[in-house]
Amino acid sequence: MEYHVPVMVEEVVAGLVADPGGIYIDATAGGGGHSMAILQRLGPAGRLVAVDRDWEAVAVVRAKLAEDVRVSVYQGSFAELGALASREGLGSLCGALFDLGISSHQIDEPERGFSYREDGPLDMRMDTAATSRTAAEWVAESSERELADVITRYGEERQARRIARAICRQRQIEPLRTTGDLRRAVAQTRPQMLNKTLARVFQALRIAVNDELGQLHDALQVMQSLLAPGGRLAVIAYHSLEDRLVKRYMAELERGCICPPRVPVCVCGRRPLFRKVGRKAQKASGVEVGQNSRARSAVLRLYEKIEVD
Ligand SMILES: C[S@@+](CC[C@H](N)C(=O)[O-])C[C@H]1O[C@@H](n2cnc3c(N)ncnc32)[C@H](O)[C@@H]1O
């Protein structure tokens, strides 16, 4: 089975790669699909740095691309990109890609614990070598209120309190160790659409376990300094929480002068740091969605770092 089918490849490469001799980073290398497409656009002097926090993805990308002298592959999270860049001397990037969320392989592999459809350990860590808590530990150690908060905030689930109560009731009888245990606890609340509810609860836990929104915030912050003037940032989000964070964070960086209208001459001196590329976010074409259902929710936003004079 294919590791992962990358989405909006043409749109990403066209929007991201302006200089075939530049340095690019694919911060979510996954199965290497976008990395390969970027490499095809680069010339002999170009360089691609492929990064993923998942060791399995890193091994797959190394096997596919390591023979290409233009490529370096690293394991690391968004929060570690700044340190990685200074260690490897990666200043002045021409472009960076963040294709957020998890890969099809991660979902399809029951051992990873991301899917409510298959039975497996309740893990959900993207980096399984990390000392961070698994979803099972997270569920065991969080209060009912914390569980309800996370399911509300990251799952946008209206029955979050009932679900958190059911999880806590269940864990008093026996710890929730598997995805099946969690599925059964959620099913006890008899939601109208069980699969949709399960998808929201699993998404919420996954976001919490991997601190996905904190990581995304770190990624956007570090790109302000790592990108060269004129460098491009491409972010593909798959749910509104991620997309909203990107839109709001970048809107702040797109803002120039913030002086009140009554001040005749600007005194704040603030200049925009980024500009949007294209007027609106892009969505996958109907043809692509027909071939790859994962593309349906994808939203691509592109930004360019502004040259300072
Ligand atoms: C949607 S997949 C990317 C697929 C990839 N573009 C391709 O063409 O195969 C997302 C990948 O990003 C990785 N990832 C998610 N959050 C990350 C983070 N904070 N730091 C590093 N990698 C992350 C996941 O492990 C996963 O492999």
Side-chain angles (χ1 to χ4, degrees), residues 4 6 28 31 33-34 52-53 76-78 99 101 106 126 215 294:
H4 182 85
T28 48
H34 283 116
D52 203 292
R53 83 196 286 194
S77 70
F78 301 164
D99 177 20
Q106 287 166 325
M126 290 186 200
Q215 287 272 328
R294 224 190 117 73

Side-chain angles (χ1 to χ4, degrees), residues 2 4 45 70 72 94 122 128 133 144 148 160 162 168 174-175 180 192 197-198 205 230 243 262 278 284 306:
E2 191 141 14
H4 182 85
R70 300 170 301 169
S72 331
C94 288
L122 194 55
T128 46
R133 292 187 292 174
E144 184 175 324
R162 284 182 65 194
C168 292
E174 211 175 9
Q192 273 182 344
T197 305
L198 285 169
L205 274 182
D243 188 48
R262 64 188 144 75
I306 291 174

Side-chain angles (χ1 to χ4, degrees), residues 270-283:
R270 186 177 150 135
R271 299 273 189 91
L273 297 174
F274 279 83
R275 70 169 187 87
K276 271 193 207 79
V277 178
R279 269 192 329 115
K280 289 202 293 193
Q282 298 181 56
K283 302 275 289 169

Side-chain angles (χ1 to χ4, degrees), residues 171-213:
R171 77 183 179 192
Q172 281 177 339
I173 303 168
E174 211 175 9
L176 280 68
R177 294 196 183 91
T178 68
T179 49
D181 292 341
L182 179 59
R183 187 175 59 226
R184 283 184 286 279
V186 175
Q188 280 170 17
T189 64
R190 299 189 184 284
Q192 273 182 344
M193 309 247 249
L194 178 60
N195 281 355
K196 288 208 164 148
T197 305
L198 285 169
R200 289 194 282 263
V201 172
F202 273 65
Q203 170 184 293
L205 274 182
R206 190 199 91 202
I207 292 176
V209 165
N210 295 289
D211 183 25
E212 289 182 38
L213 299 181

